[in-house]
Structures are given as C-alpha cells and as structure tokens.
Amino acid sequence: MTFDRRGRHGFFIDGALREPTGSERVEVIHPGNEEAVGSIPKATPDDMAAAVAAARRAFDEGPWPHTAPAERAEMLSAIADGLEKRLEELAWLSTAQNGMPITLARQSQGIEILRYYADIARDVVWEERRQGLAGTGLVRRTPVGVAGLIIPWNAPSLLMNKLPSALLAGCTVVVKPSPETPLDTYVLAEVLDDVGMPPGVVNIVAADAEVGQCLVDDPRVDKISFTGSTAAGRKIMAGLAERIGRVSLELGGKSASVLLDDAPLEAALPATMAGACLNNGQACIALSRVLAPRSRYDEVVETLGAMVGSLPVGDPFDESTFVGPLLNARQRDRALGYIELGKAEGARVVTGGGPVPGRDRGFWVQPTVLADVSNDMRVAQEEIFAAVISVIPYDGGDDAAVAMANDSQYGLSGAVWSADPERALDVARRIRTGTVTVNGFTYDVGLPFGGFKQSGIGREWGLEGLEAYIEYQTINLPDGL
C-alpha cells in the first residue's frame, strides 16, 4: 500500500495553504532505503512570522478563545473522526518518514487523546465563585494565548500530546514539526479544513531549528511547548526567560527497569525489552537501563541477550518487524559510536553491537545488549536514542536499587518488578521519575505524563495537560453581585 508521494506546496497558515516565501525545498527520506518519500518547502523566518501573525490575530480578534468549551470539544471530536478515517495513511506516513514499525505507527496517532479531551470538557470547572478571606471572587480558567508547539522527528504524532489540550483551553497555535518528518501534518491540515476550524486557530510550518528559534523568540507567542532533546530544551528555556514566556518541556530520558531480587523475569524481561526497543529505541521513555541484583545478574544478561538477539529486524512496513532503521546517518553513527565508547569503558557486547548485516542502504543498527556496565559509564548516563540496553548490577538490596535508579540527570520513565507488588510500590514511590509502572510498562492518556530533573518541566495528558495551556484569572466581586 502506498499513498501520495507528490511534493507538498505551501504552509497551512490562516486556514489555507499559503505559498512559501522561499524557493528551496526539503526532501523527506525513508530511513530504510534512503529513497525520497516526499518534499516540502524550506521555511523562512517570514513564513514563521506569517503563521505567528495569523495565530495572534485569531486569538485577539477571532471567536475561538470565546467559544463555549462544549463547542471546542465538538471540534476535537470532529478532528478525531477525520483523522480516524485516514488512519492507514497517517500510519504509512509515520513509517515512511522515520522508520517506525507499521504496527506501532497504527497505534500511535493520538486520536484517543483528542477524544479524551473532548470528553473531559464538560467536567472541567471553567469558572467558579470562590469565597476568599475578605470577600467573593470569580476564578476563571482562561487560555494562555498563542502557543507554539514544537514537535520532534522521532514521533511526529506527539503533536497530539499538545494540540487537543491547547485547543480545548481556547488557545490558538503555531505547530512546528521537524522538516525531516512533516508529511502527516498536511493530512491534519486537510482535516482541519474539512471540519471548519476557524482561520488562524491552527497554523503549521515545518521548519529547521534556526527558523524554529524565530517562533521561540517572537514576543507575540505567549507559550512554547517543546518535545525534544534536553540540550535544545535548555536553549528554549533560556530564550524565553528574557520575556518571561511560558514554557513546557518534555525532554530526554535514561529510564531504569528495576529488577528486585524476586522479580518475575518471565514477565519483566519481555516487557523491559519492548520498552527499551520501542520505536527502534528512538523514544524518550525507553527503558535503556536494566538494574539487576548481583545474585541474578548472569541469568538476566543471558536471557535478555537471547531475547534481543532474536528480535525481528527489517523493513518497517513488514507487519512482523519489531525493530526498524534509525532516522538518518547521524543517528546511526551516534548509536554505533556509543557502542564503541561502551566497549572502551569496559562494557561487553552480549548481542548486536554493529550495523545490520546485508543492509547496504538505510540507517541500520542491531538491537544491542551491553553487560558489565557500571552506572557511571557514559552509556549508562547519556541518552543514546537507539535500541541499546545497558544491564547494570547492583548490590545491597532495595535501597541500593533506588539509589542507582536515581543516580541520573534524567527522570522521565521507569518500571519496578517484584513478586510482591506492595514491595515494588514502595520502591516506585522512592524513584524520582515522572511515570513509573509496577510490574509493567504502561502509559495512560488520562494520567499526567512528564519528567523530573532534566527530563522536563510541566505535564501532558490528564487534567494537568489542560492546565499547561491555562492562565487563572481572579475577578474580585462587590457585595451583592
């Protein structure tokens, strides 16, 4: 099955595809074979400025911020319906752009998030009278304003972690996808047009980091929500500090799967492997550190190595594929470089450790398990963004496991495994990470998601995801009103 590979023209600005201000184009390359799957215009600062102007005008002069929340919820439902009708196309585009296995791509379009926020609109208290110490006040949830939504290349559908809540809050938005993975947003633009989204409420300009910085720096933008690397997040936060711009950051991770000494390995290791190799390892929530008690270390290494070594690696459009290619040559070389660094630091390659044999085109790295890793090695502390798993032994019981799990600049995801769920829960409470699962690897859009430490600021999903796009207004009322 294939879909339209023709070049896309223009950017979705003020409710229509607007001709680009520049003449250059950017090819979108399939990482499995290095063939072009489409192209888009190369954005300029003028393109981004036009999108910001449209969003600002739509917020200041348009109806959207003043539309009843129930009507905004109906729009979210209509968008979900429109995207669902084109699910196979969206999945195909995801796989074509970044090599995400097609079975995962079908599950990862975020349509359920649109429906979730449409459903909770009626439960949110948008305005309430509240008794203060000296009188009565009206406390209102109001939109933060114009929101810039910056989306990463590893999962362009992560836009749905931001867009539904921003729209329900009443914000207008400028979406900046990566120019390496922009094609699915053209489908979104067509759906927005079909459902009658007011002009300027959603504007989409795929752009590189330089033009994206124009979005961050524009004083007409009230809020930036960014998903991407911790290094880029630092730069964005520093830029917004000058004008006290609002910011949410969902950044990197180096999450631990903590195996206690009674962990049921028959359940823990398959789930850990899936969490580590999710999206070819190109996932901020990846369980890339496996902490194993010394008494069971050899068993864990041997079993996990055999499992990872038998994973189906290949064409991401093949329904049986579990691990596909990395995005580009830069990511491939980065992953291979980290494996060599790990070996130089004293780590042992149990399985994988190099390019995928027989793949002359594309950006392929074997799923890899490294043993004899200590938690101070760079392969244990730095995000590799590939299916490279470090298995790290610990001594000293649960306290030692907690200390090692917390010995990281990151705190985004994690799992704790024990035959005694209460024991695992006690350990989970002590781990400084945004989401941790007891005896599993689970995420729920109805519950808040985000990071501790350098994994980010703020939360997506749940009611907290809506709060990210809310400003509270208090109106003090005179007696009798």
Side-chain angles (χ1 to χ4, degrees):
M1 182 178 295
T2 59
F3 292 91
D4 183 8
R5 295 187 178 206
R6 292 174 299 174
R8 302 291 183 165
H9 300 281
F11 298 109
F12 189 68
I13 298 173
D14 212 13
L17 281 181
R18 167 183 168 140
E19 286 297 312
T21 58
S23 58
E24 294 184 68
R25 296 189 65 82
V26 178
E27 281 196 330
V28 181
I29 302 299
H30 178 46
N33 56 22
E34 302 181 55
E35 293 181 0
V37 294
S39 68
I40 64 165
K42 183 176 181 180
T44 69
D46 288 341
D47 296 319
M48 188 61 74
V52 172
R56 186 78 259 170
R57 185 167 55 251
F59 187 83
D60 293 340
E61 303 172 16
W64 187 253
H66 313 290
T67 301
E71 293 182 43
R72 298 199 291 259
E74 288 178 6
M75 184 64 77
L76 294 185
S77 295
I79 297 169
D81 291 343
L83 293 177
E84 193 162 45
K85 292 175 183 176
R86 301 179 68 170
L87 177 60
E88 198 63 31
E89 180 181 4
L90 289 165
W92 188 92
L93 287 169
S94 293
T95 299
Q97 292 177 112
N98 73 354
M100 177 184 291
I102 189 67
T103 52
L104 177 63
R106 291 195 188 99
Q107 303 167 16
S108 306
Q109 296 307 316
I111 295 169
E112 76 281 5
I113 308 177
L114 285 157
R115 298 202 191 282
Y116 169 78
Y117 282 105
D119 288 344
I120 70 166
R122 61 180 177 271
D123 300 323
V124 176
V125 179
W126 296 95
E127 187 171 289
E128 64 174 322
R129 288 174 177 263
R130 191 183 301 176
Q131 185 63 41
L133 294 178
T136 302
L138 191 66
V139 179
R140 306 177 63 236
R141 281 185 167 99
T142 68
V144 72
V146 174
L149 312 181
I150 303 178
I151 314 304
W153 53 259
N154 65 305
S157 58
L158 288 178
L159 170 59
M160 293 304 158
N161 286 6
K162 308 175 188 298
L163 183 65
S165 46
L167 292 180
L168 181 59
C171 295
T172 61
V173 304
V174 177
V175 178
K176 192 211 81 68
S178 166
E180 293 166 306
T181 55
L183 299 179
D184 54 312
T185 57
Y186 284 87
V187 175
L188 172 63
E190 292 168 7
V191 170
L192 293 171
D193 184 55
D194 290 342
V195 302
M197 178 64 76
V201 174
V202 180
N203 308 273
I204 307 171
V205 178
D208 60 20
E210 182 179 353
V211 174
Q213 191 64 40
C214 297
L215 176 64
V216 174
D217 294 340
D218 197 314
R220 296 171 295 180
V221 177
D222 301 290
K223 165 77 183 259
I224 292 291
S225 179
F226 170 79
T227 297
S229 71
T230 296
R234 290 192 193 100
K235 184 176 181 181
I236 287 171
M237 192 173 180
L240 291 171
E242 181 67 24
R243 57 184 175 87
I244 320 296
R246 275 56 175 163
V247 63
S248 296
L249 302 172
E250 198 271 276
L251 306 176
K254 194 69 181 179
S255 300
S257 183
V258 181
L259 310 178
L260 301 184
D261 56 20
D262 63 346
L265 298 186
E266 69 279 1
L269 294 185
T272 295
M273 177 187 68
C277 299
L278 181 69
N279 193 22
N280 312 329
Q282 297 176 135
C284 55
I285 59 175
L287 299 178
S288 52
R289 287 189 299 156
V290 178
L291 310 187
R294 183 82 61 181
S295 61
R296 305 186 71 183
Y297 187 75
D298 291 343
E299 179 187 7
V300 169
V301 168
E302 181 180 355
T303 305
L304 187 60
M307 292 171 58
V308 172
S310 66
L311 283 175
V313 179
D315 181 359
F317 285 108
D318 188 323
E319 300 283 344
S320 67
T321 291
F322 198 90
V323 176
L326 299 183
L327 177 75
N328 54 27
R330 180 184 70 249
Q331 293 302 122
R332 176 200 61 202
D333 295 346
R334 171 184 168 86
L336 293 173
Y338 266 106
I339 293 169
E340 291 304 311
L341 174 63
K343 291 161 61 177
E345 290 182 309
R348 169 170 57 92
V349 175
V350 178
T351 190
V356 175
R359 296 281 178 176
D360 297 328
R361 293 184 61 80
F363 313 110
W364 301 87
V365 174
Q366 294 173 308
T368 299
V369 173
L370 299 177
D372 303 335
V373 177
S374 61
N375 203 50
D376 59 350
M377 291 182 181
R378 287 180 61 187
V379 290
Q381 289 291 324
E382 299 177 14
E383 188 173 41
I384 299 174
F385 231 51
V388 178
I389 307 170
S390 294
V391 189
I392 308 169
Y394 68 88
D395 301 286
D398 295 0
D399 290 346
V402 170
M404 186 174 287
N406 289 337
D407 183 16
S408 171
Q409 67 178 325
Y410 297 112
L412 186 60
S413 179
V416 181
W417 301 87
S418 172
D420 180 355
E422 289 292 339
R423 178 187 178 192
L425 176 58
D426 178 65
V427 169
R429 287 188 173 117
R430 298 161 62 194
I431 295 178
R432 299 285 295 167
T433 196
T435 298
V436 59
T437 303
V438 170
N439 290 344
F441 182 65
T442 304
Y443 286 85
D444 187 325
V445 300
L447 302 173
F449 168 73
F452 286 19
K453 298 184 278 189
Q454 293 191 37
S455 285
I457 295 174
R459 292 296 181 267
E460 297 177 329
W461 299 351
L463 180 59
E464 292 77 6
L466 177 63
E467 296 291 321
Y469 299 95
I470 292 292
E471 291 275 26
Y472 283 90
Q473 182 188 39
T474 296
I475 302 177
N476 294 306
L477 303 175
D479 294 339
L481 182 61

